[in-house]
Amino acid sequence: MADLKGKTAAVTGSTSGIGLAIARAMAKAGANIVINGMGAPADIEKERSAIETDFGVKCVHSPADMTKAAEIAEFVALGEKTFGSVDVLVNNAGIQFVSPIEEFPIEKWDAIIAINLSAAFHAIRAAVPGMKRRQWGRIINTASAHSLVASPFKSAYVSAKHGIAGLTKTVALELATFKITCNCISPGYVWTPLVERQIPDTMKARNMTKEQVINDVLLDAQPTKEFVTVDQVASLALYLCGDEASQITGSNLSIDGGWTAE
Ligand code: NAD
């Protein structure tokens, strides 16, 4: 397992779901943590202090809104000011919206492109100078099976996720000689609030019951017929931080129960 003692991991969208599991896995490996994301202040404080007490590291919360470039730069700066560096950057914040394209709300398109794609650009742009100075870094983007294949009614999400796969490859090439790797992880369906929230709209768009959406849409995509777990995604992210992964860069790593093998 990667040893991250003395390092800092900054994880966007880590007050919930996959991001929280990644933040906790990085903390378990010894990193100080910058968590980020929305939620009730008391809930965020509970998660923040649990990371400190469970793993004996320091953890701060950045309230940066991933639709705002200046706030994203402040998220990176908070890690650098508080802990001296951001060594691992995980671009994970994401939202979903499901709708036929002709009815797709323009503001939802803009928000998905901003949070799921442009935010990663802004965070990488802010974190790379420090990583280059220190000659070490790990950039991990949470993409999706939807970075490789499409599904109907998810035009913005599929576009953003295909985009982040391209950004990952470009950044990997630019940083290849600086001991900085950049990869994306592409999960299939992981049972998190993001998946739970899209069920009502999918029921409407496809005229299905909740059970039909879970079995005939979500799990139908995955040959294993099982959801991926947040801890499985977090383990893969942590693996990418280790020395054993130093030659993995520019990769799009699927963890999708076989979805994209079909
Ligand atoms: P989630 O809803 O549980 O968590 C999303 C996180 O992003 C939360 O912490 C939320 O507060 C944060 N966030 C949302 N908008 C934000 C904003 N404007 N600024 C800052 N933070 C914001 O979702 P999740 O399922 O854990 O998704 C995490 C990532 O994994 C996303 O990029 C998603 O696209 C990707 N993903 C999820 C699945 C899945 O099945 N759950 C599959 C593939 C990829």
Side-chain angles (χ1 to χ4, degrees), residues 7-15 19 23 26 31-37 48 51 58-64 74-83 85-86 88-90:
K7 293 198 159 57
T8 304
V11 186
T12 72
S14 48
T15 53
M26 305 270 169
N32 291 320
I33 304 292
V34 184
I35 55 167
N36 156 260
R48 188 204 64 76
I51 287 174
K58 294 280 174 212
C59 178
V60 290
H61 172 253
S62 159
E74 279 165 28
F75 156 77
V76 173
L78 178 69
E80 291 176 338
K81 258 184 260 154
T82 312
F83 302 124
S85 63
V86 168
V88 178
L89 169 67
V90 183

PDB file of all heavy atoms in Angstrom, residues 7-15 19 23 26 31-37 48 51 58-64 74-83 85-86 88-90:
ATOM      1  N   LYS A   7       2.677  13.652   3.245  1.00  0.00           N
ATOM      2  CA  LYS A   7       2.096  14.189   2.009  1.00  0.00           C
ATOM      3  C   LYS A   7       0.685  14.718   2.279  1.00  0.00           C
ATOM      4  O   LYS A   7       0.078  14.411   3.302  1.00  0.00           O
ATOM      5  CB  LYS A   7       2.078  13.109   0.931  1.00  0.00           C
ATOM      6  CG  LYS A   7       3.496  12.719   0.467  1.00  0.00           C
ATOM      7  CD  LYS A   7       3.455  11.994  -0.859  1.00  0.00           C
ATOM      8  CE  LYS A   7       4.785  12.025  -1.596  1.00  0.00           C
ATOM      9  NZ  LYS A   7       5.919  11.475  -0.866  1.00  0.00           N
ATOM     10  N   THR A   8       0.204  15.491   1.320  1.00  0.00           N
ATOM     11  CA  THR A   8      -1.150  16.040   1.425  1.00  0.00           C
ATOM     12  C   THR A   8      -1.966  15.597   0.225  1.00  0.00           C
ATOM     13  O   THR A   8      -1.492  15.682  -0.911  1.00  0.00           O
ATOM     14  CB  THR A   8      -1.117  17.588   1.436  1.00  0.00           C
ATOM     15  OG1 THR A   8      -0.281  18.007   2.502  1.00  0.00           O
ATOM     16  CG2 THR A   8      -2.505  18.168   1.617  1.00  0.00           C
ATOM     17  N   ALA A   9      -3.172  15.138   0.508  1.00  0.00           N
ATOM     18  CA  ALA A   9      -4.104  14.789  -0.569  1.00  0.00           C
ATOM     19  C   ALA A   9      -5.295  15.744  -0.510  1.00  0.00           C
ATOM     20  O   ALA A   9      -5.900  15.934   0.548  1.00  0.00           O
ATOM     21  CB  ALA A   9      -4.576  13.348  -0.420  1.00  0.00           C
ATOM     22  N   ALA A  10      -5.607  16.343  -1.653  1.00  0.00           N
ATOM     23  CA  ALA A  10      -6.755  17.250  -1.755  1.00  0.00           C
ATOM     24  C   ALA A  10      -7.767  16.591  -2.685  1.00  0.00           C
ATOM     25  O   ALA A  10      -7.444  16.264  -3.831  1.00  0.00           O
ATOM     26  CB  ALA A  10      -6.313  18.601  -2.297  1.00  0.00           C
ATOM     27  N   VAL A  11      -8.960  16.391  -2.171  1.00  0.00           N
ATOM     28  CA  VAL A  11      -9.977  15.615  -2.902  1.00  0.00           C
ATOM     29  C   VAL A  11     -11.226  16.472  -3.083  1.00  0.00           C
ATOM     30  O   VAL A  11     -11.866  16.856  -2.099  1.00  0.00           O
ATOM     31  CB  VAL A  11     -10.337  14.318  -2.128  1.00  0.00           C
ATOM     32  CG1 VAL A  11     -11.274  13.445  -2.956  1.00  0.00           C
ATOM     33  CG2 VAL A  11      -9.088  13.538  -1.712  1.00  0.00           C
ATOM     34  N   THR A  12     -11.573  16.780  -4.323  1.00  0.00           N
ATOM     35  CA  THR A  12     -12.790  17.576  -4.545  1.00  0.00           C
ATOM     36  C   THR A  12     -14.020  16.666  -4.409  1.00  0.00           C
ATOM     37  O   THR A  12     -13.953  15.458  -4.668  1.00  0.00           O
ATOM     38  CB  THR A  12     -12.797  18.263  -5.928  1.00  0.00           C
ATOM     39  OG1 THR A  12     -13.018  17.279  -6.953  1.00  0.00           O
ATOM     40  CG2 THR A  12     -11.504  19.002  -6.203  1.00  0.00           C
ATOM     41  N   GLY A  13     -15.112  17.256  -3.965  1.00  0.00           N
ATOM     42  CA  GLY A  13     -16.348  16.481  -3.825  1.00  0.00           C
ATOM     43  C   GLY A  13     -16.178  15.315  -2.876  1.00  0.00           C
ATOM     44  O   GLY A  13     -16.526  14.177  -3.208  1.00  0.00           O
ATOM     45  N   SER A  14     -15.648  15.597  -1.666  1.00  0.00           N
ATOM     46  CA  SER A  14     -15.333  14.485  -0.751  1.00  0.00           C
ATOM     47  C   SER A  14     -16.146  14.549   0.531  1.00  0.00           C
ATOM     48  O   SER A  14     -15.744  13.987   1.544  1.00  0.00           O
ATOM     49  CB  SER A  14     -13.831  14.458  -0.461  1.00  0.00           C
ATOM     50  OG  SER A  14     -13.360  15.738  -0.118  1.00  0.00           O
ATOM     51  N   THR A  15     -17.301  15.241   0.484  1.00  0.00           N
ATOM     52  CA  THR A  15     -18.190  15.203   1.642  1.00  0.00           C
ATOM     53  C   THR A  15     -19.181  14.044   1.538  1.00  0.00           C
ATOM     54  O   THR A  15     -20.036  13.875   2.401  1.00  0.00           O
ATOM     55  CB  THR A  15     -18.969  16.532   1.769  1.00  0.00           C
ATOM     56  OG1 THR A  15     -19.617  16.810   0.513  1.00  0.00           O
ATOM     57  CG2 THR A  15     -18.044  17.671   2.130  1.00  0.00           C
ATOM     58  N   GLY A  19     -15.778  10.274  -3.210  1.00  0.00           N
ATOM     59  CA  GLY A  19     -14.751  11.215  -2.757  1.00  0.00           C
ATOM     60  C   GLY A  19     -14.426  11.039  -1.288  1.00  0.00           C
ATOM     61  O   GLY A  19     -13.253  11.074  -0.891  1.00  0.00           O
ATOM     62  N   ALA A  23     -10.852  10.064   0.262  1.00  0.00           N
ATOM     63  CA  ALA A  23     -10.194  10.893   1.291  1.00  0.00           C
ATOM     64  C   ALA A  23      -9.823  10.037   2.497  1.00  0.00           C
ATOM     65  O   ALA A  23      -8.711  10.149   3.037  1.00  0.00           O
ATOM     66  CB  ALA A  23     -11.117  12.041   1.694  1.00  0.00           C
ATOM     67  N   MET A  26      -6.852   7.762   1.707  1.00  0.00           N
ATOM     68  CA  MET A  26      -5.588   8.517   1.682  1.00  0.00           C
ATOM     69  C   MET A  26      -5.146   8.848   3.114  1.00  0.00           C
ATOM     70  O   MET A  26      -3.961   8.823   3.439  1.00  0.00           O
ATOM     71  CB  MET A  26      -5.742   9.812   0.881  1.00  0.00           C
ATOM     72  CG  MET A  26      -6.246   9.619  -0.539  1.00  0.00           C
ATOM     73  SD  MET A  26      -4.944   9.391  -1.719  1.00  0.00           S
ATOM     74  CE  MET A  26      -5.826   8.858  -3.168  1.00  0.00           C
ATOM     75  N   ALA A  31      -1.756  10.467   4.826  1.00  0.00           N
ATOM     76  CA  ALA A  31      -1.753  11.831   4.255  1.00  0.00           C
ATOM     77  C   ALA A  31      -2.620  12.772   5.084  1.00  0.00           C
ATOM     78  O   ALA A  31      -3.660  12.366   5.620  1.00  0.00           O
ATOM     79  CB  ALA A  31      -2.295  11.790   2.826  1.00  0.00           C
ATOM     80  N   ASN A  32      -2.190  14.031   5.160  1.00  0.00           N
ATOM     81  CA  ASN A  32      -3.100  15.079   5.608  1.00  0.00           C
ATOM     82  C   ASN A  32      -4.065  15.348   4.466  1.00  0.00           C
ATOM     83  O   ASN A  32      -3.713  15.172   3.285  1.00  0.00           O
ATOM     84  CB  ASN A  32      -2.335  16.349   5.970  1.00  0.00           C
ATOM     85  CG  ASN A  32      -1.502  16.157   7.222  1.00  0.00           C
ATOM     86  OD1 ASN A  32      -1.946  15.515   8.176  1.00  0.00           O
ATOM     87  ND2 ASN A  32      -0.288  16.684   7.218  1.00  0.00           N
ATOM     88  N   ILE A  33      -5.260  15.799   4.817  1.00  0.00           N
ATOM     89  CA  ILE A  33      -6.340  15.812   3.818  1.00  0.00           C
ATOM     90  C   ILE A  33      -7.007  17.181   3.721  1.00  0.00           C
ATOM     91  O   ILE A  33      -7.284  17.819   4.735  1.00  0.00           O
ATOM     92  CB  ILE A  33      -7.439  14.773   4.209  1.00  0.00           C
ATOM     93  CG1 ILE A  33      -6.851  13.364   4.387  1.00  0.00           C
ATOM     94  CG2 ILE A  33      -8.584  14.772   3.198  1.00  0.00           C
ATOM     95  CD1 ILE A  33      -6.345  12.696   3.136  1.00  0.00           C
ATOM     96  N   VAL A  34      -7.279  17.587   2.478  1.00  0.00           N
ATOM     97  CA  VAL A  34      -8.219  18.690   2.242  1.00  0.00           C
ATOM     98  C   VAL A  34      -9.471  18.058   1.658  1.00  0.00           C
ATOM     99  O   VAL A  34      -9.425  17.475   0.564  1.00  0.00           O
ATOM    100  CB  VAL A  34      -7.675  19.737   1.242  1.00  0.00           C
ATOM    101  CG1 VAL A  34      -8.666  20.908   1.120  1.00  0.00           C
ATOM    102  CG2 VAL A  34      -6.298  20.237   1.673  1.00  0.00           C
ATOM    103  N   ILE A  35     -10.563  18.125   2.434  1.00  0.00           N
ATOM    104  CA  ILE A  35     -11.835  17.675   1.866  1.00  0.00           C
ATOM    105  C   ILE A  35     -12.556  18.894   1.299  1.00  0.00           C
ATOM    106  O   ILE A  35     -12.256  20.034   1.650  1.00  0.00           O
ATOM    107  CB  ILE A  35     -12.737  16.911   2.871  1.00  0.00           C
ATOM    108  CG1 ILE A  35     -13.001  17.730   4.141  1.00  0.00           C
ATOM    109  CG2 ILE A  35     -12.172  15.553   3.186  1.00  0.00           C
ATOM    110  CD1 ILE A  35     -14.123  17.161   5.005  1.00  0.00           C
ATOM    111  N   ASN A  36     -13.507  18.631   0.437  1.00  0.00           N
ATOM    112  CA  ASN A  36     -14.237  19.706  -0.244  1.00  0.00           C
ATOM    113  C   ASN A  36     -15.623  19.186  -0.588  1.00  0.00           C
ATOM    114  O   ASN A  36     -15.799  17.994  -0.836  1.00  0.00           O
ATOM    115  CB  ASN A  36     -13.478  20.105  -1.527  1.00  0.00           C
ATOM    116  CG  ASN A  36     -14.387  20.753  -2.548  1.00  0.00           C
ATOM    117  OD1 ASN A  36     -14.824  20.113  -3.507  1.00  0.00           O
ATOM    118  ND2 ASN A  36     -14.699  22.006  -2.353  1.00  0.00           N
ATOM    119  N   GLY A  37     -16.570  20.092  -0.605  1.00  0.00           N
ATOM    120  CA  GLY A  37     -17.896  19.674  -1.042  1.00  0.00           C
ATOM    121  C   GLY A  37     -18.975  20.376  -0.256  1.00  0.00           C
ATOM    122  O   GLY A  37     -18.703  21.134   0.675  1.00  0.00           O
ATOM    123  N   ARG A  48     -15.113  15.534   8.770  1.00  0.00           N
ATOM    124  CA  ARG A  48     -13.755  16.091   8.882  1.00  0.00           C
ATOM    125  C   ARG A  48     -13.082  15.593  10.167  1.00  0.00           C
ATOM    126  O   ARG A  48     -11.955  15.090  10.142  1.00  0.00           O
ATOM    127  CB  ARG A  48     -13.812  17.627   8.870  1.00  0.00           C
ATOM    128  CG  ARG A  48     -12.447  18.301   8.779  1.00  0.00           C
ATOM    129  CD  ARG A  48     -12.456  19.714   9.325  1.00  0.00           C
ATOM    130  NE  ARG A  48     -12.745  19.749  10.759  1.00  0.00           N
ATOM    131  CZ  ARG A  48     -11.880  19.429  11.716  1.00  0.00           C
ATOM    132  NH1 ARG A  48     -10.658  19.078  11.410  1.00  0.00           N
ATOM    133  NH2 ARG A  48     -12.253  19.472  12.993  1.00  0.00           N
ATOM    134  N   ILE A  51     -12.074  11.901  10.193  1.00  0.00           N
ATOM    135  CA  ILE A  51     -10.831  11.597   9.472  1.00  0.00           C
ATOM    136  C   ILE A  51      -9.633  11.820  10.404  1.00  0.00           C
ATOM    137  O   ILE A  51      -8.713  11.001  10.469  1.00  0.00           O
ATOM    138  CB  ILE A  51     -10.734  12.460   8.179  1.00  0.00           C
ATOM    139  CG1 ILE A  51     -11.732  11.932   7.136  1.00  0.00           C
ATOM    140  CG2 ILE A  51      -9.297  12.461   7.618  1.00  0.00           C
ATOM    141  CD1 ILE A  51     -11.855  12.767   5.869  1.00  0.00           C
ATOM    142  N   LYS A  58      -4.171  15.315   9.918  1.00  0.00           N
ATOM    143  CA  LYS A  58      -4.897  16.595   9.956  1.00  0.00           C
ATOM    144  C   LYS A  58      -5.809  16.678   8.728  1.00  0.00           C
ATOM    145  O   LYS A  58      -5.433  16.223   7.635  1.00  0.00           O
ATOM    146  CB  LYS A  58      -3.916  17.769   9.932  1.00  0.00           C
ATOM    147  CG  LYS A  58      -3.058  17.848  11.174  1.00  0.00           C
ATOM    148  CD  LYS A  58      -3.854  18.507  12.300  1.00  0.00           C
ATOM    149  CE  LYS A  58      -3.099  18.480  13.605  1.00  0.00           C
ATOM    150  NZ  LYS A  58      -4.001  18.375  14.768  1.00  0.00           N
ATOM    151  N   CYS A  59      -6.953  17.295   8.924  1.00  0.00           N
ATOM    152  CA  CYS A  59      -7.908  17.420   7.812  1.00  0.00           C
ATOM    153  C   CYS A  59      -8.597  18.778   7.882  1.00  0.00           C
ATOM    154  O   CYS A  59      -9.080  19.174   8.944  1.00  0.00           O
ATOM    155  CB  CYS A  59      -8.942  16.291   7.911  1.00  0.00           C
ATOM    156  SG  CYS A  59     -10.214  16.365   6.632  1.00  0.00           S
ATOM    157  N   VAL A  60      -8.604  19.488   6.755  1.00  0.00           N
ATOM    158  CA  VAL A  60      -9.349  20.752   6.677  1.00  0.00           C
ATOM    159  C   VAL A  60     -10.402  20.634   5.574  1.00  0.00           C
ATOM    160  O   VAL A  60     -10.236  19.852   4.627  1.00  0.00           O
ATOM    161  CB  VAL A  60      -8.439  21.973   6.370  1.00  0.00           C
ATOM    162  CG1 VAL A  60      -7.556  22.294   7.561  1.00  0.00           C
ATOM    163  CG2 VAL A  60      -7.620  21.774   5.106  1.00  0.00           C
ATOM    164  N   HIS A  61     -11.459  21.424   5.741  1.00  0.00           N
ATOM    165  CA  HIS A  61     -12.508  21.444   4.713  1.00  0.00           C
ATOM    166  C   HIS A  61     -12.420  22.739   3.915  1.00  0.00           C
ATOM    167  O   HIS A  61     -12.316  23.820   4.486  1.00  0.00           O
ATOM    168  CB  HIS A  61     -13.903  21.342   5.351  1.00  0.00           C
ATOM    169  CG  HIS A  61     -15.012  21.549   4.360  1.00  0.00           C
ATOM    170  ND1 HIS A  61     -15.795  22.692   4.314  1.00  0.00           N
ATOM    171  CD2 HIS A  61     -15.451  20.767   3.332  1.00  0.00           C
ATOM    172  CE1 HIS A  61     -16.673  22.594   3.333  1.00  0.00           C
ATOM    173  NE2 HIS A  61     -16.485  21.444   2.717  1.00  0.00           N
ATOM    174  N   SER A  62     -12.427  22.633   2.605  1.00  0.00           N
ATOM    175  CA  SER A  62     -12.515  23.796   1.718  1.00  0.00           C
ATOM    176  C   SER A  62     -13.934  23.866   1.166  1.00  0.00           C
ATOM    177  O   SER A  62     -14.404  22.903   0.555  1.00  0.00           O
ATOM    178  CB  SER A  62     -11.533  23.646   0.552  1.00  0.00           C
ATOM    179  OG  SER A  62     -11.943  24.482  -0.515  1.00  0.00           O
ATOM    180  N   PRO A  63     -14.597  25.018   1.359  1.00  0.00           N
ATOM    181  CA  PRO A  63     -15.964  25.136   0.847  1.00  0.00           C
ATOM    182  C   PRO A  63     -16.014  25.525  -0.631  1.00  0.00           C
ATOM    183  O   PRO A  63     -17.081  25.891  -1.132  1.00  0.00           O
ATOM    184  CB  PRO A  63     -16.552  26.259   1.717  1.00  0.00           C
ATOM    185  CG  PRO A  63     -15.376  27.126   2.047  1.00  0.00           C
ATOM    186  CD  PRO A  63     -14.155  26.233   2.090  1.00  0.00           C
ATOM    187  N   ALA A  64     -14.893  25.450  -1.342  1.00  0.00           N
ATOM    188  CA  ALA A  64     -14.829  25.927  -2.734  1.00  0.00           C
ATOM    189  C   ALA A  64     -15.953  25.344  -3.588  1.00  0.00           C
ATOM    190  O   ALA A  64     -16.199  24.134  -3.580  1.00  0.00           O
ATOM    191  CB  ALA A  64     -13.478  25.573  -3.341  1.00  0.00           C
ATOM    192  N   GLU A  74      -8.312  28.595  -4.719  1.00  0.00           N
ATOM    193  CA  GLU A  74      -8.212  28.735  -3.252  1.00  0.00           C
ATOM    194  C   GLU A  74      -8.207  27.375  -2.557  1.00  0.00           C
ATOM    195  O   GLU A  74      -7.565  27.200  -1.519  1.00  0.00           O
ATOM    196  CB  GLU A  74      -9.385  29.559  -2.707  1.00  0.00           C
ATOM    197  CG  GLU A  74      -9.182  31.057  -2.858  1.00  0.00           C
ATOM    198  CD  GLU A  74     -10.476  31.835  -2.649  1.00  0.00           C
ATOM    199  OE1 GLU A  74     -11.366  31.361  -1.915  1.00  0.00           O
ATOM    200  OE2 GLU A  74     -10.598  32.919  -3.261  1.00  0.00           O
ATOM    201  N   PHE A  75      -8.910  26.420  -3.143  1.00  0.00           N
ATOM    202  CA  PHE A  75      -8.931  25.048  -2.588  1.00  0.00           C
ATOM    203  C   PHE A  75      -7.512  24.465  -2.589  1.00  0.00           C
ATOM    204  O   PHE A  75      -7.038  23.920  -1.582  1.00  0.00           O
ATOM    205  CB  PHE A  75      -9.900  24.200  -3.433  1.00  0.00           C
ATOM    206  CG  PHE A  75      -9.681  22.724  -3.436  1.00  0.00           C
ATOM    207  CD1 PHE A  75     -10.071  21.934  -2.369  1.00  0.00           C
ATOM    208  CD2 PHE A  75      -9.093  22.097  -4.538  1.00  0.00           C
ATOM    209  CE1 PHE A  75      -9.875  20.556  -2.381  1.00  0.00           C
ATOM    210  CE2 PHE A  75      -8.900  20.731  -4.568  1.00  0.00           C
ATOM    211  CZ  PHE A  75      -9.283  19.955  -3.481  1.00  0.00           C
ATOM    212  N   VAL A  76      -6.805  24.645  -3.699  1.00  0.00           N
ATOM    213  CA  VAL A  76      -5.416  24.155  -3.775  1.00  0.00           C
ATOM    214  C   VAL A  76      -4.525  24.968  -2.827  1.00  0.00           C
ATOM    215  O   VAL A  76      -3.714  24.407  -2.078  1.00  0.00           O
ATOM    216  CB  VAL A  76      -4.889  24.217  -5.228  1.00  0.00           C
ATOM    217  CG1 VAL A  76      -3.404  23.883  -5.275  1.00  0.00           C
ATOM    218  CG2 VAL A  76      -5.693  23.264  -6.122  1.00  0.00           C
ATOM    219  N   ALA A  77      -4.731  26.295  -2.829  1.00  0.00           N
ATOM    220  CA  ALA A  77      -3.907  27.164  -1.968  1.00  0.00           C
ATOM    221  C   ALA A  77      -4.100  26.821  -0.491  1.00  0.00           C
ATOM    222  O   ALA A  77      -3.149  26.882   0.291  1.00  0.00           O
ATOM    223  CB  ALA A  77      -4.257  28.631  -2.226  1.00  0.00           C
ATOM    224  N   LEU A  78      -5.318  26.445  -0.109  1.00  0.00           N
ATOM    225  CA  LEU A  78      -5.579  26.080   1.295  1.00  0.00           C
ATOM    226  C   LEU A  78      -4.700  24.897   1.712  1.00  0.00           C
ATOM    227  O   LEU A  78      -4.104  24.895   2.787  1.00  0.00           O
ATOM    228  CB  LEU A  78      -7.065  25.739   1.492  1.00  0.00           C
ATOM    229  CG  LEU A  78      -7.467  25.300   2.894  1.00  0.00           C
ATOM    230  CD1 LEU A  78      -7.371  26.462   3.892  1.00  0.00           C
ATOM    231  CD2 LEU A  78      -8.889  24.721   2.910  1.00  0.00           C
ATOM    232  N   GLY A  79      -4.605  23.901   0.847  1.00  0.00           N
ATOM    233  CA  GLY A  79      -3.755  22.745   1.146  1.00  0.00           C
ATOM    234  C   GLY A  79      -2.292  23.146   1.254  1.00  0.00           C
ATOM    235  O   GLY A  79      -1.575  22.714   2.166  1.00  0.00           O
ATOM    236  N   GLU A  80      -1.864  23.983   0.318  1.00  0.00           N
ATOM    237  CA  GLU A  80      -0.452  24.388   0.312  1.00  0.00           C
ATOM    238  C   GLU A  80      -0.125  25.244   1.537  1.00  0.00           C
ATOM    239  O   GLU A  80       0.925  25.071   2.157  1.00  0.00           O
ATOM    240  CB  GLU A  80      -0.134  25.129  -0.993  1.00  0.00           C
ATOM    241  CG  GLU A  80      -0.178  24.175  -2.194  1.00  0.00           C
ATOM    242  CD  GLU A  80       0.032  24.875  -3.545  1.00  0.00           C
ATOM    243  OE1 GLU A  80      -0.199  26.096  -3.630  1.00  0.00           O
ATOM    244  OE2 GLU A  80       0.411  24.173  -4.510  1.00  0.00           O
ATOM    245  N   LYS A  81      -1.048  26.147   1.907  1.00  0.00           N
ATOM    246  CA  LYS A  81      -0.811  27.030   3.065  1.00  0.00           C
ATOM    247  C   LYS A  81      -0.866  26.234   4.371  1.00  0.00           C
ATOM    248  O   LYS A  81      -0.037  26.413   5.262  1.00  0.00           O
ATOM    249  CB  LYS A  81      -1.879  28.132   3.103  1.00  0.00           C
ATOM    250  CG  LYS A  81      -1.368  29.477   2.571  1.00  0.00           C
ATOM    251  CD  LYS A  81      -2.421  30.553   2.725  1.00  0.00           C
ATOM    252  CE  LYS A  81      -3.138  30.773   1.409  1.00  0.00           C
ATOM    253  NZ  LYS A  81      -4.487  31.283   1.487  1.00  0.00           N
ATOM    254  N   THR A  82      -1.832  25.345   4.478  1.00  0.00           N
ATOM    255  CA  THR A  82      -2.036  24.636   5.749  1.00  0.00           C
ATOM    256  C   THR A  82      -0.979  23.555   5.961  1.00  0.00           C
ATOM    257  O   THR A  82      -0.461  23.391   7.060  1.00  0.00           O
ATOM    258  CB  THR A  82      -3.447  23.977   5.771  1.00  0.00           C
ATOM    259  OG1 THR A  82      -4.405  24.943   5.355  1.00  0.00           O
ATOM    260  CG2 THR A  82      -3.799  23.469   7.150  1.00  0.00           C
ATOM    261  N   PHE A  83      -0.660  22.822   4.909  1.00  0.00           N
ATOM    262  CA  PHE A  83       0.193  21.644   5.085  1.00  0.00           C
ATOM    263  C   PHE A  83       1.527  21.740   4.333  1.00  0.00           C
ATOM    264  O   PHE A  83       2.352  20.840   4.413  1.00  0.00           O
ATOM    265  CB  PHE A  83      -0.555  20.389   4.601  1.00  0.00           C
ATOM    266  CG  PHE A  83      -1.860  20.151   5.317  1.00  0.00           C
ATOM    267  CD1 PHE A  83      -3.053  20.027   4.612  1.00  0.00           C
ATOM    268  CD2 PHE A  83      -1.913  20.052   6.705  1.00  0.00           C
ATOM    269  CE1 PHE A  83      -4.262  19.808   5.258  1.00  0.00           C
ATOM    270  CE2 PHE A  83      -3.118  19.829   7.371  1.00  0.00           C
ATOM    271  CZ  PHE A  83      -4.294  19.705   6.644  1.00  0.00           C
ATOM    272  N   SER A  85       2.000  21.638   1.026  1.00  0.00           N
ATOM    273  CA  SER A  85       2.007  21.071  -0.330  1.00  0.00           C
ATOM    274  C   SER A  85       0.661  20.439  -0.645  1.00  0.00           C
ATOM    275  O   SER A  85      -0.108  20.127   0.262  1.00  0.00           O
ATOM    276  CB  SER A  85       3.087  19.975  -0.446  1.00  0.00           C
ATOM    277  OG  SER A  85       2.786  18.907   0.438  1.00  0.00           O
ATOM    278  N   VAL A  86       0.400  20.301  -1.945  1.00  0.00           N
ATOM    279  CA  VAL A  86      -0.656  19.372  -2.385  1.00  0.00           C
ATOM    280  C   VAL A  86       0.044  18.373  -3.291  1.00  0.00           C
ATOM    281  O   VAL A  86       0.486  18.712  -4.389  1.00  0.00           O
ATOM    282  CB  VAL A  86      -1.805  20.093  -3.120  1.00  0.00           C
ATOM    283  CG1 VAL A  86      -2.730  19.087  -3.805  1.00  0.00           C
ATOM    284  CG2 VAL A  86      -2.623  20.937  -2.140  1.00  0.00           C
ATOM    285  N   VAL A  88      -1.111  15.011  -3.801  1.00  0.00           N
ATOM    286  CA  VAL A  88      -2.097  14.168  -4.498  1.00  0.00           C
ATOM    287  C   VAL A  88      -3.337  15.021  -4.712  1.00  0.00           C
ATOM    288  O   VAL A  88      -3.891  15.570  -3.754  1.00  0.00           O
ATOM    289  CB  VAL A  88      -2.462  12.926  -3.648  1.00  0.00           C
ATOM    290  CG1 VAL A  88      -3.522  12.095  -4.362  1.00  0.00           C
ATOM    291  CG2 VAL A  88      -1.237  12.088  -3.324  1.00  0.00           C
ATOM    292  N   LEU A  89      -3.727  15.159  -5.954  1.00  0.00           N
ATOM    293  CA  LEU A  89      -4.950  15.906  -6.276  1.00  0.00           C
ATOM    294  C   LEU A  89      -5.947  14.922  -6.880  1.00  0.00           C
ATOM    295  O   LEU A  89      -5.645  14.267  -7.882  1.00  0.00           O
ATOM    296  CB  LEU A  89      -4.643  17.018  -7.284  1.00  0.00           C
ATOM    297  CG  LEU A  89      -5.868  17.708  -7.895  1.00  0.00           C
ATOM    298  CD1 LEU A  89      -6.642  18.498  -6.836  1.00  0.00           C
ATOM    299  CD2 LEU A  89      -5.448  18.627  -9.048  1.00  0.00           C
ATOM    300  N   VAL A  90      -7.103  14.838  -6.262  1.00  0.00           N
ATOM    301  CA  VAL A  90      -8.150  13.962  -6.797  1.00  0.00           C
ATOM    302  C   VAL A  90      -9.323  14.841  -7.236  1.00  0.00           C
ATOM    303  O   VAL A  90      -9.966  15.492  -6.415  1.00  0.00           O
ATOM    304  CB  VAL A  90      -8.618  12.924  -5.753  1.00  0.00           C
ATOM    305  CG1 VAL A  90      -9.651  11.980  -6.376  1.00  0.00           C
ATOM    306  CG2 VAL A  90      -7.438  12.135  -5.201  1.00  0.00           C
TER     307      VAL A  90
END
